[in-house]
């Protein structure tokens, strides 16, 4: 993975985790071969609404979209907005491509790889929404630098968001929940949009459950939801 110039170099230096799992079936491979080139974020150049969608429109970005259920749901809800999703895991990308095909979504662009690589190419202040749902928790303290919720990635996310834009974070990991609250509360550039003490236990409107989240709940885990305004 490329070294990132901005922010905390130890956090942003490389992509951790797996990129591929089980082998693709022929139909899945055909989908990757046909649809991904059409809706992939171009490998070079600015990543603007005009370049991706042919016009200026509000942009949303999902970091690590998993199988893409949330990304597809949001894109379907807001057809006039542009959605960019990044996910290095091939089996997840295939899932998202299936949703995009089946739901006839024309407003989604995908990057198979590190979200931070694409974020860096966006103009500052261009994102209306950023989503980070169930990021890999890296529960061991010595791996804490790998967490997406760290000042390096957050500085980049913040720079790419429009003032007043919304950053949504969901997690089912108690360590990550506490860590995020600590890191986010230290920052003066994000305001927590909690309306009550129990706010983070209640799923906000327009926030569908992903497969990953459903599994976490089946296994008896709590899910915490955070919404922050970029100041
Ligand atoms: C626990 S899964 C959650 C997936 C999905 N957000 C959901 O809620 O179903 C975390 C995902 O983040 C992805 N991921 C990890 N680091 C990433 C990065 N730097 N850029 C984009 N995705 C990343 C992983 O490949 C994995 O699919």
């Amino acid at each position: 993975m490329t070294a990132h110039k901005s922010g905390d170099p130890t956090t942003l230096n490389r992509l951790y985790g797996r990129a591929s799992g089980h082998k693709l079936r022929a139909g899945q491979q055909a989908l990757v071969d046909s649809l991904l080139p059409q809706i992939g974020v171009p490998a070079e150049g600015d990543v603007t609404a005009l370049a991706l969608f042919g016009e200026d429109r509000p942009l949303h970005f999902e970091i690590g979209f998993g199988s893409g259920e949330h990304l597809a749901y949001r894109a379907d809800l807001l057809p006039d907005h542009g959605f960019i999703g990044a996910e290095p895991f091939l089996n997840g990308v295939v899932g998202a491509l299936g949703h995009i095909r089946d739901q006839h979504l024309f407003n989604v662009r995908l990057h198979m790889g590190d979200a931070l690589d694409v974020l860096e190419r966006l103009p500052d202040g261009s994102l209306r929404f950023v989503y980070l749902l169930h990021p890999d928790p890296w529960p061991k303290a010595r791996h804490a630098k790998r967490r997406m919720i760290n000042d390096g990635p957050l500085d980049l996310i913040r720079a790419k968001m429009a003032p007043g834009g919304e950053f949504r974070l969901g997690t089912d990991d108690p360590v990550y929940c506490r860590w995020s609250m600590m890191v986010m509360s230290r920052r003066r550039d994000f305001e927590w949009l909690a309306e009550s003490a129990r706010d983070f236990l209640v799923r906000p409107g327009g926030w569908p459950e992903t497969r990953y989240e459903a599994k976490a709940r089946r296994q008896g885990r709590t899910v915490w939801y955070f919404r922050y305004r970029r100041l």
Side-chain angles (χ1 to χ4, degrees), residues 91-146:
N91 300 87
V93 171
V94 173
L97 289 171
H99 294 302
I100 291 165
R101 177 197 56 198
D102 297 345
Q103 293 175 235
H104 307 287
L105 300 173
F106 297 101
N107 56 338
V108 184
R109 299 292 178 268
L110 301 184
H111 169 70
M112 192 166 78
D114 190 342
L116 301 174
D117 286 342
V118 183
L119 274 175
E120 285 201 327
R121 292 166 53 208
L122 283 153
D124 284 354
S126 58
L127 295 173
R128 187 76 64 84
F129 277 86
V130 175
Y131 311 99
L132 176 62
L133 306 186
H134 303 279
D136 292 330
W138 297 108
K140 291 183 184 149
R142 68 190 160 89
H143 288 150
K145 282 277 186 193
R146 298 180 179 184

